[in-house]
Amino acid sequence: MKNALIFFYNIFLEEIEKINDNYYFTYQNSDFVIHKYTRNIDEVISIYNLNKEMLQNNIITYEIILTKENNVLFFEDNSYYLLMKLPNVKNKVITIDDILRFNYAPKNNYNLLDKSMWSVNWEKKIDYIEYQFSQMSKKYKNINEGINYYLGIWENAISYYNDNVILKQEVKFICHKRLGINTDLLEFLNPLNFVVDYKERDIGDYLKSYIINEKYTFDKLKNILNKLSHDKNDASRLITRIMFPSFYFDKYEEIIINEEDDKSILLFNTKTDNYEDFLRFIFNYYKNLGLPYLTWLFENKKED
């Protein structure tokens, strides 16, 4: 990678550290990363333009550095990479307050990064997964034990979204492809993790991670919910996002793509009671808004 830095950036180094798929170094008193690019190649210009816009508006993030030929990416060892200057921040694990403070709304349109059409995207994805797994269910017996439950929850999320979220012109923010309770600040500020979406995307994904990792009490959850919007449409979107079992299907895709052993997915089969308890808690918390709830979820269960 030292030769690539010379060739593409005219940067000469003696030391460079590889961590996983990325390379880190210090140059002229600043820290940099050569980051492997794994997103859709069509998104790269939008990611770069959004990065420029954010920096121009004094939003703390990485700075993408162009090559000598003014390209965002370079190709090395059969993979695409890009060079970025790291922000001068003290790394830490993020909290819900970090998510709520990170509320930049892009001034320009970044359609390729816009992931806000949840129902349309989910319907396509769920159809694909149902067909895909029907062709390989005998190979992955551990997935077979729980996938129908989580497909059912996902279908509930789609129905709830279609029935209760009013589609109207609303502000969209910089959000993240994925985040959770173990996301650190440098990962949180990395432009390669950015998408454009409604704020409930990040909040919902954080809360799901909070529940699945069992680092919660209902008092703590209530304190978090008290900080959030109590607009009926925002609450409907949050409930929908929490019902989307992204944690399960992220693991599913990882297993299928990498052809891994599927035993690791069994963990999520032990989380269904926690997941349902939290959904009941959420519905009860917002009951004064008059939101409909999932009838099956409350059968034979007392309200909190």
Side-chain angles (χ1 to χ4, degrees):
M1 197 55 73
K2 290 181 182 179
N3 290 334
L5 275 173
I6 296 171
F7 184 81
F8 291 107
Y9 298 96
N10 276 337
I11 294 177
F12 295 79
L13 290 176
E14 291 186 4
E15 294 185 8
I16 189 168
E17 181 181 9
K18 183 179 181 182
I19 301 177
N20 298 322
D21 291 328
N22 304 321
Y23 299 81
Y24 296 83
F25 64 91
T26 300
Y27 181 69
Q28 295 181 346
N29 297 319
S30 294
D31 294 325
F32 292 83
V33 59
I34 301 171
H35 203 295
K36 188 173 183 178
Y37 185 83
T38 58
R39 288 182 62 162
N40 190 318
I41 201 74
D42 294 335
E43 295 177 336
V44 69
I45 298 302
S46 296
I47 291 171
Y48 174 69
N49 288 333
L50 175 58
N51 181 245
K52 284 200 304 182
E53 179 188 321
M54 293 176 71
L55 291 170
Q56 288 166 359
N57 286 276
N58 299 315
I59 305 300
I60 298 174
T61 182
Y62 293 45
E63 179 184 356
I64 296 174
I65 309 296
L66 297 179
T67 69
K68 293 187 299 185
E69 304 298 325
N70 290 320
N71 296 318
V72 179
L73 301 177
F74 66 90
F75 195 74
E76 183 77 7
D77 296 331
N78 298 314
S79 296
Y80 282 106
Y81 292 89
L82 72 164
L83 177 63
M84 296 187 289
K85 182 180 178 181
L86 273 62
N88 185 20
V89 297
K90 184 177 180 180
N91 205 15
K92 63 164 189 168
V93 175
I94 64 166
T95 67
I96 189 66
D97 293 321
D98 294 308
I99 295 171
L100 297 178
R101 283 194 296 264
F102 193 78
N103 57 357
Y104 182 73
K107 295 177 171 55
N108 298 304
N109 292 324
Y110 300 97
N111 292 333
L112 291 176
L113 304 182
D114 192 323
K115 309 300 180 184
S116 63
M117 298 296 290
W118 294 358
S119 180
V120 173
N121 295 337
W122 290 349
E123 286 172 356
K124 291 178 182 177
K125 191 66 177 286
I126 203 170
D127 287 345
Y128 172 75
I129 289 176
E130 286 177 330
Y131 172 76
Q132 179 190 52
F133 194 68
S134 71
Q135 307 300 305
M136 56 180 65
S137 58
K138 292 181 180 179
K139 181 180 178 181
Y140 294 105
K141 294 182 180 179
N142 292 312
I143 293 177
N144 216 12
E145 286 188 22
I147 191 170
N148 287 332
Y149 172 84
Y150 282 107
L151 284 170
I153 292 285
W154 197 356
E155 288 169 347
N156 278 193
I158 293 171
S159 296
Y160 197 88
Y161 181 92
N162 290 336
D163 293 343
N164 298 291
V165 175
I166 300 171
L167 298 180
K168 55 186 178 180
Q169 192 69 31
E170 293 184 80
V171 176
K172 299 172 189 175
F173 296 91
I174 300 303
C175 295
H176 299 77
K177 291 186 70 178
R178 289 289 185 269
L179 56 71
I181 59 171
N182 296 318
T183 300
D184 64 38
L185 189 58
L186 284 174
E187 184 182 359
F188 185 73
L189 298 175
N190 188 334
L192 298 183
N193 295 328
F194 292 164
V195 296
V196 177
D197 207 337
Y198 298 110
K199 196 68 180 174
E200 288 75 29
R201 178 193 185 98
D202 278 1
I203 298 168
D205 284 357
Y206 182 85
L207 288 176
K208 277 182 291 187
S209 171
Y210 201 56
I211 297 303
I212 293 302
N213 286 277
E214 298 185 15
K215 294 185 177 180
Y216 73 98
T217 64
F218 284 119
D219 284 341
K220 288 182 179 178
L221 290 175
K222 186 175 181 180
N223 288 337
I224 290 175
L225 294 174
N226 287 342
K227 299 179 179 182
L228 308 182
S229 166
H230 282 60
D231 173 83
K232 188 173 183 179
N233 215 43
D234 292 346
S236 296
R237 245 194 322 259
L238 178 63
I239 290 170
T240 300
R241 191 73 199 182
I242 292 170
M243 278 197 286
F244 167 44
S246 51
F247 51 87
Y248 184 90
F249 289 100
D250 286 349
K251 176 57 69 174
Y252 166 86
E253 287 191 338
E254 179 185 315
I255 290 168
I256 301 300
I257 291 171
N258 298 325
E259 298 184 349
E260 299 175 356
D261 186 281
D262 65 346
K263 287 183 180 178
S264 59
I265 208 164
L266 289 175
L267 169 69
F268 300 116
N269 294 350
T270 69
K271 304 296 183 180
T272 56
D273 287 346
N274 281 353
Y275 198 23
E276 291 179 14
D277 285 345
F278 181 55
L279 285 172
R280 280 188 287 272
F281 182 85
I282 288 281
F283 279 115
N284 283 325
Y285 180 87
Y286 287 117
K287 64 184 177 183
N288 291 336
L289 297 180
L291 293 173
Y293 57 89
L294 302 180
T295 304
W296 66 265
L297 193 63
F298 285 88
E299 288 178 352
N300 302 319
K301 292 283 184 180
K302 293 182 179 180
E303 293 191 359
D304 296 311

